[in-house]
Amino acid sequence: KGVKPFHFTIATEKSQKSTPGMFITGVEGDVQKPDKLVGSGTAAYSGSPVKINVVVEGSSQFWTDPASGKWGPMPSELNMATFFDPSKGMADILGNVKGLTADGTENVDGTDTYMLKGTVPATALKSLPSDVPGTGDISTTLWVGAGDFLLRKSALVGPRLSGAPADVAALVTIKDLHKAVTVQTPVIH
C-alpha cells in the first residue's frame, strides 16, 4: 500500500484450449497511485490477436479501440484502475491467500525474495472482470522481497474467467518501485 509509483507486467499463458471472448495475453505499464495508470497490452479476441493502449486518470479511462486503433473511452466493464487499488484487486488477492507455505528463495530483477505458495478463493478476485467464477480455489505463488517484504511477483494458476481452461496461468511482476511515472491523458477527437 505504501508504494506509490511502480512498473508492472502481466503475462498470461493459456493451454491449448481456446478461451471465449477477449483473452488478455500480456499487459505492461506504469502506475502512479492513487489513480493513474498508463500501459499497453495484447489480447486474443475470438482467436485474432489485438493490441491496445490504456490510460487511466482518476475516474477517466481511455483505450485505443482494438478495431480502429483510435483513442476513446474504455468500456466500463474493463476497469483497469481496480487491479492496483490498495483496497481491491491485488490487495484482495494478497489478503485472502490461505495455506501459505515457504517454497525457497529466488532473485527477482536483482531483489532476493522469499517464495510462498498457497491458494486464493475465486471470490477474492471480485474486483476483476465480472465473469470471474465465484467458486473454488486458485493456486498462487508469491515472491516477497527478503529485505522489505514488498510483493515482487505473483503467479495465479486456475480459471479466472468463466469457460477458461483449468491450467491457465497469470504472472504479475512489479518492479521500479518508487520510480517517477508520467501519465498523459490522450486527446480524443
Side-chain angles (χ1 to χ4, degrees), residues 125-140:
L125 307 178
K126 63 185 175 277
S127 63
L128 302 180
S130 59
D131 54 352
V132 171
T135 60
D137 289 337
I138 296 174
S139 297
T140 186

Side-chain angles (χ1 to χ4, degrees), residues 107-146:
N107 189 286
V108 176
D109 291 322
T111 300
D112 290 330
T113 65
Y114 299 117
M115 291 176 60
L116 305 168
K117 289 193 180 249
T119 59
V120 176
T123 54
L125 307 178
K126 63 185 175 277
S127 63
L128 302 180
S130 59
D131 54 352
V132 171
T135 60
D137 289 337
I138 296 174
S139 297
T140 186
T141 302
L142 305 172
W143 289 258
V144 179

Side-chain angles (χ1 to χ4, degrees), residues 2-78:
V3 176
K4 298 298 180 195
F6 58 88
H7 183 82
F8 71 93
T9 59
I10 302 173
T12 304
E13 299 171 356
K14 64 178 183 172
S15 68
Q16 297 302 316
K17 180 182 174 187
S18 63
T19 56
M22 184 175 285
F23 182 83
I24 305 295
T25 54
V27 180
E28 183 167 3
D30 296 295
V31 171
Q32 175 68 53
K33 291 189 328 188
D35 61 359
K36 296 182 183 192
L37 180 146
V38 60
S40 60
T42 57
Y45 184 72
S46 298
S48 298
V50 293
K51 291 184 179 184
I52 60 170
N53 294 307
V54 175
V55 171
V56 175
E57 188 162 7
S59 62
S60 300
Q61 297 191 71
F62 306 93
W63 75 337
T64 52
D65 182 272
S68 69
K70 293 183 180 180
W71 283 102
M74 184 183 298
S76 59
E77 63 271 11
L78 299 174

Side-chain angles (χ1 to χ4, degrees), residues 146-164:
D148 57 17
F149 301 105
L150 294 174
L151 181 68
R152 302 307 171 133
K153 191 162 68 169
S154 172
L156 298 167
V157 179
R160 292 170 312 282
L161 300 174
S162 296

